[in-house]
């Protein structure tokens, strides 16, 4: 994600004076609600697990999740790139390629 995109999300918020409403609890709730809307795209879809037929709705809900993630990171003073890179390192330690390659089990089961 580019700095420009992040700045556009924050500018949208600031132009509406909405920062006052963006506490960590309500942003975490909003991330979860938007993630649920993303799940709803697949509700009752049986074995349909591909993106093609639902791509427009997936785009919209995934963007909602990411927007709230940007707002949460900003509110908590977290750098998106930094926290993602830290998580990649932690996950690489939990899931070394030689153990995890081609396996879906949790790291405790590898
Ligand atoms: Mg939504």
């Amino acid at each position: 994600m580019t700095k420009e995109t992040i700045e556009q999300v924050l500018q949208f918020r600031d132009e509406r004076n909405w920062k006052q409403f963006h506490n960590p609890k309500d942003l975490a709730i909003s991330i979860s609600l938007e993630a649920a809307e993303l799940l709803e795209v697949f509700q009752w879809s049986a074995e349909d697990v591909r993106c093609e037929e639902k791509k427009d709705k997936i785009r919209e809900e995934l963007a909602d999740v990411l927007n709230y993630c940007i707002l949460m990171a900003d509110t908590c003073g977290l750098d998106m790139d930094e926290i993602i890179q830290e998580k990649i390192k932690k996950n690489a330690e939990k899931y070394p390629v030689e153990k995890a390659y081609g396996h879906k089990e949790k790291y405790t089961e590898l």
Side-chain angles (χ1 to χ4, degrees):
M1 189 170 309
T2 66
K3 297 287 181 202
E4 181 184 2
T5 300
I6 292 171
E7 286 303 318
Q8 286 177 336
V9 172
L10 299 179
Q11 183 180 348
F12 182 93
R13 174 200 66 192
D14 293 341
E15 286 172 348
R16 288 154 184 81
N17 193 25
W18 286 350
K19 188 172 184 177
Q20 61 183 311
F21 307 118
H22 290 177
N23 62 71
K25 174 189 67 75
D26 288 325
L27 289 169
I29 289 170
S30 297
I31 291 169
S32 185
L33 291 174
E34 294 299 343
E37 289 181 9
L38 180 59
L39 265 179
E40 191 176 24
V41 174
F42 297 98
Q43 187 179 27
W44 311 122
S45 62
E47 295 179 8
D48 178 12
V49 292
R50 294 183 307 275
C51 293
E52 289 76 22
E53 303 86 24
K54 302 171 184 298
K55 208 165 197 171
D56 288 345
K57 195 63 184 161
I58 292 169
R59 286 171 60 108
E60 189 173 325
E61 299 308 339
L62 187 57
D64 285 342
V65 171
L66 293 169
N67 278 336
Y68 276 121
C69 289
I70 291 169
L71 294 168
M72 178 96 180
D74 181 72
T75 296
C76 295
L78 299 168
D79 182 278
M80 297 279 287
D81 288 322
E82 189 179 305
I83 64 174
I84 290 169
Q85 288 167 14
E86 284 173 5
K87 195 64 179 181
I88 290 169
K89 282 183 192 168
K90 284 183 184 176
N91 285 342
E93 290 170 10
K94 286 183 185 174
Y95 296 95
V97 173
E98 59 274 13
K99 284 187 177 178
Y101 187 83
H103 296 282
K104 62 182 178 183
E105 290 81 12
K106 189 175 178 179
Y107 67 96
T108 53
E109 304 299 320
L110 291 174

